[in-house]
Amino acid sequence: MTIRSLVPLPVRRHFRDLSASYSTLRLIAGMWEDQGFTPSGEPNNESGERRGFWREFEDNVDWTDPGHVNRVVRVYETLVDAITPEELASTRKFMDRQGFDVDAEGRIRPKSNTALAMVAAMPRSLNTLRDPAMILDSFERINRALPTDPAQAIGSAKELVEATAKTVLEELGVPFEDKTAKLPQLIDRAQRELGLHPQTAAPGPDGSQAVKRILGGLSGIALGLGELRNEGWGTGHAARRTGLRPRHGYLAVGAAHTWCQVVLDTLADPSAPWRTQVADATAG
């Protein structure tokens, strides 16, 4: 699955145009390079040296990659900080039409109905996965559901946890029955494999009583999502919508995000205790 571009073309063109009034090529380079981007060196048809140079950095952006897009937004914010008050007022109006807020400090935030709103909720460690397709699909569904369809948001939040658990097990090479595995089994197995289960937590902070208590609550959060959906409050089981409010959808999505964030960050952490445990088992 390939998700759509997370930054609309008009927004890209707007900031490319703004770059033409930015003082020097050196400063443009600094903005992009500070965020880890390099120019492509490829010729383009942009008019003006500054616009063309800006475009070379854009050439090396994956506009479907949440990590790349978050860094591009930081570039935009740096440029916003340097433009005139008149340009800032114009940019605010333009970005509002495109579904973004530019606050008094120049920070850019997506409104809830934009594609980039999905980026804000995505763990950055998602970028380390070989195949994040199932997780991205769940985020797409959540993005479409909030805030107007809490039943769909609840159902998609449950699917996000399930997709994350399956993806983690696949990344670790742990076999499971894709068609028949139940959510509680997937959650338990994923957390155990990553040392995130209260019974498998490693020495150090991961094995402290406080962290074990939190990990137990983490399991409960994920399991609660499945139960909420199975009780009929989420799509997939003849959803009951009477009484559901946007806050219920946000509750479910927030819970799912918390679980996924911890699991994916632990999977990506090069010094996480689970890696030592795997190495020890292999050596033995």
Side-chain angles (χ1 to χ4, degrees), residues 225-267:
L225 284 171
E227 293 170 2
L228 184 64
R229 191 247 194 153
N230 291 339
E231 287 176 0
W233 296 111
T235 52
H237 285 273
R240 296 181 288 171
R241 298 175 185 265
T242 303
L244 277 181
R245 305 294 298 163
R247 62 187 175 88
H248 298 112
Y250 282 109
L251 172 66
V253 171
H257 178 261
T258 296
W259 190 85
C260 295
Q261 178 88 54
V262 173
V263 168
L264 291 176
D265 284 356
T266 302
L267 176 67

Side-chain angles (χ1 to χ4, degrees), residues 149-281:
D149 191 346
Q152 179 64 61
I154 290 169
S156 297
K158 178 265 181 184
E159 291 168 1
L160 173 60
V161 169
E162 183 174 354
T164 301
K166 288 182 176 181
T167 299
V168 165
L169 295 177
E170 288 176 350
E171 291 279 326
L172 295 174
V174 177
F176 64 93
E177 292 295 331
D178 185 47
K179 301 296 184 182
T180 60
K182 302 297 183 183
L183 184 63
Q185 299 168 335
L186 293 169
I187 291 170
D188 183 81
R189 188 66 182 275
Q191 287 193 216
R192 286 181 184 274
E193 293 291 334
L194 292 174
L196 290 174
H197 193 281
Q199 296 177 1
T200 61
D206 292 272
S208 70
Q209 289 301 314
V211 170
K212 286 183 178 181
R213 190 174 296 112
I214 293 171
L215 292 177
L218 189 68
S219 300
I221 284 175
L223 293 171
L225 284 171
E227 293 170 2
L228 184 64
R229 191 247 194 153
N230 291 339
E231 287 176 0
W233 296 111
T235 52
H237 285 273
R240 296 181 288 171
R241 298 175 185 265
T242 303
L244 277 181
R245 305 294 298 163
R247 62 187 175 88
H248 298 112
Y250 282 109
L251 172 66
V253 171
H257 178 261
T258 296
W259 190 85
C260 295
Q261 178 88 54
V262 173
V263 168
L264 291 176
D265 284 356
T266 302
L267 176 67
D269 185 355
S271 61
W274 70 267
R275 294 184 182 274
T276 302
Q277 294 168 359
V278 170
D280 291 344

Side-chain angles (χ1 to χ4, degrees), residues 1 6 38 52 67 84 105 107 113 123 141 160 185 211 222 225:
M1 168 192 170
L6 296 169
T38 58
T84 66
E105 297 179 353
R107 290 176 299 188
N113 62 343
R141 293 173 186 274
L160 173 60
Q185 299 168 335
V211 170
L225 284 171

Side-chain angles (χ1 to χ4, degrees), residues 32-43:
W32 284 94
E33 290 171 357
D34 284 349
Q35 296 302 323
F37 292 104
T38 58
S40 66
E42 297 294 327

Side-chain angles (χ1 to χ4, degrees), residues 25 28-30 32-33 36-42 44 52-61:
L25 296 177
I28 290 175
W32 284 94
E33 290 171 357
F37 292 104
T38 58
S40 66
E42 297 294 327
N44 56 62
F53 192 45
W54 184 277
R55 176 65 178 273
E56 287 186 41
F57 285 98
E58 289 184 318
D59 289 342
N60 282 332
V61 175

